[in-house]
Amino acid sequence: MATVKEVAQRAGVSLGTVSNVLNRPEVVSEALRTRVLDAIAELGFVRNESARQLRAGVSRTIAMVVLDVANPFFTDVIAGAEELAERHDSLVVMCNSANSADREARHLRRLNQQRVLGVLLTPVHDTASPALTEVREHGTPVVLVDRGAAGTGQSSVAVDDVLGGRLAGEHLVGAGHRRIAYVGTASPLRQVAERLRGVREAVGGHGSVEVVDTTGLSVRAGAQAAARILAAPESERPTAVFCANDLLAIGVLNECVRRGVRVPDELAVVGYDDIGFAATATVPLTSVRQPRELLGRTAVELLLAQVEGRPAQQIVFEPELVVRRSTARRITG
C-alpha cells in the first residue's frame, strides 16, 4: 500500500502539501491539488483514517449498543441512525449486548478506549452502570435509545410504551375480549413493564389480564408461551393475547397454526413494534407501531447536538395501533 511519502515523491511536492490536500484542500492551489490527487489515484493511496483521528483526538465513529441484533426492531433503528450519520460524514458501528449487563459493560469500555464520537445505547438496566459512568466522565456524549432518561442531564429518545399498551388493551376490549393474556418476560426491561401497565389500565374493570412470563423476547419464547396458554380448557383460557414484541407474537401465531387453533376466531393476537414481518405473517398481525427509523435518526441528531455543546434533550414519540387480520373477529356475549 502506498504511503504519504510516496505520494509526495510522485507528485513532486512536500509531505506538508500532501497533508494539506488531504485535510485542508482550500489552502492549496488548484494546480498542486490536481498533481497530488493524480498521484493518489495512480498509487492507489488510502489514508489511515484511524491514525488521523487518534492524532487529532476526535473520531467520526458513532457506536450503537443494542439489546438484540437479531430483533428486526433494532435493525430498523440502526438503519435510521446510519441514514443521518452518513449525511454528517460519520460512521455507525453496532455492538450487541445480548441483554447481558456484563457484555454491555465490556462494549462500553472498549468504545471508550477507541475514542468514539459518541454512543447510542439501549441499556440493559435502568440504573447507570459503572462502565457507562466512565464513558460519560470521559466526556463522550451518550444518548439513550428506546429508553427515557431519568433526569434532564441525559439525552434520550423513546416511545410512550404505557400509551402503546393502552392502545392494544382498548382495541381488544372494544372487540369484546374480557380474558386477555400479556405475553412478556421476567426480565427487568422497563419497556416490557410499561406495556403491561398500559394494557392493565385499558382493561381495568372490563376484564382480566393474565401475565405469561417468557424466557426471552424471541419467536421461540412466544411459541412456548402459546403452548402453555392453549393447554388450558377453551372455556377458561384467554380469548386474546397481547405480546411485548412482534417476535413473541409471531411465535404465538406459529404455535396456533401448528395446533390448528384459528386466529383470530379462537385466539386474537396483538404484537408490538410493527416490524416488517408483521404484515406478512401467516395471519397478518395487528401491532403497535413504533417509529423505528425515526428513533435512530433522532438519536443521532441528539448526539451531534451534544457534540456541539447544546443541552441534553428527552424526546418521547407516540406509538400507533395498526389493525390487521389477527384481531379482526369481534367477540359477543
Side-chain angles (χ1 to χ4, degrees):
M1 183 178 291
T3 65
V4 173
K5 184 177 180 180
E6 289 170 335
V7 171
Q9 290 173 342
R10 175 65 66 91
V13 300
S14 68
L15 291 174
T17 298
V18 176
S19 177
N20 282 336
V21 170
L22 293 172
N23 300 298
R24 297 189 301 158
E26 69 280 0
V27 304
V28 183
S29 70
E30 184 176 351
L32 282 180
R33 281 203 311 271
T34 300
R35 282 165 56 186
V36 171
L37 292 174
D38 286 346
I40 286 172
E42 291 168 9
L43 294 172
F45 169 80
V46 177
R47 86 156 96 188
N48 187 334
E49 184 68 14
S50 295
R52 187 192 71 81
Q53 290 177 4
L54 286 173
R55 285 194 299 273
V58 296
S59 171
R60 291 194 183 115
T61 301
I62 297 171
M64 189 161 195
V65 185
V66 301
L67 294 173
D68 180 10
V69 70
N71 188 336
F73 166 79
F74 288 112
T75 304
D76 292 342
V77 174
I78 293 167
E82 283 186 322
E83 177 188 331
L84 189 62
E86 284 189 2
R87 295 185 208 164
H88 292 270
D89 196 26
S90 294
L91 170 73
V92 175
V93 296
M94 187 279 302
C95 301
N96 181 26
S97 71
N99 207 17
S100 162
D102 289 340
R103 186 165 173 172
E104 175 189 286
R106 289 196 298 273
H107 283 315
L108 289 172
R109 291 193 170 103
R110 289 173 185 143
L111 293 170
N112 205 20
Q113 294 168 1
Q114 293 295 319
R115 304 184 193 179
V116 294
L117 179 64
V119 176
L120 310 178
L121 172 68
T122 303
V124 174
H125 298 303
D126 282 342
T127 55
S129 67
L132 179 56
T133 300
E134 289 173 18
V135 172
R136 289 172 175 158
E137 289 177 347
H138 187 264
T140 303
V142 177
V143 176
L144 302 184
V145 182
D146 195 34
R147 182 74 59 84
T152 57
Q154 170 70 64
S155 284
S156 64
V157 57
V159 173
D160 187 341
D161 286 309
V162 176
L163 173 59
R166 281 203 303 268
L167 291 174
E170 289 167 359
H171 173 65
L172 292 174
V173 168
H177 295 282
R178 297 296 177 263
R179 297 192 306 275
I180 298 169
Y182 178 69
V183 175
T185 173
S187 80
L189 288 177
R190 184 195 300 179
Q191 299 95 313
V192 174
E194 289 184 346
R195 291 165 198 177
L196 172 58
R197 175 183 154 197
V199 72
R200 278 176 165 160
E201 288 179 1
V203 173
H206 301 290
S208 62
V209 177
E210 173 191 349
V211 178
V212 181
D213 283 334
T214 62
T215 55
L217 297 169
S218 64
V219 172
R220 181 178 180 183
Q224 292 170 340
R228 284 152 53 197
I229 291 169
L230 297 174
E234 188 173 353
S235 60
E236 299 176 9
R237 73 191 187 203
T239 62
V241 172
F242 171 41
C243 298
N245 74 1
D246 284 343
L247 295 182
L248 289 170
I250 290 170
V252 171
L253 286 176
N254 290 348
E255 185 66 12
C256 287
V257 171
R258 192 181 76 81
R259 292 170 176 257
V261 174
R262 292 170 299 162
V263 176
D265 296 54
E266 295 177 76
L267 188 70
V269 183
V270 179
Y272 204 104
D273 292 337
D274 196 34
I275 61 176
F277 296 126
T280 58
T282 306
V283 180
L285 179 65
T286 294
S287 184
V288 179
R289 175 179 292 167
Q290 299 202 73
R292 303 175 304 282
E293 292 87 353
L294 181 58
L295 282 170
R297 290 196 298 271
T298 305
V300 172
E301 287 178 355
L302 294 179
L303 189 143
L304 294 175
Q306 285 191 67
V307 170
E308 294 172 358
R310 284 181 270 165
Q313 298 179 66
Q314 298 78 42
I315 296 178
V316 180
F317 294 110
E318 290 191 356
E320 61 177 311
L321 183 72
V322 181
V323 179
R324 300 190 180 96
R325 255 179 51 211
S326 68
T327 59
R329 176 177 173 265
R330 184 179 180 84
I331 302 295
T332 57

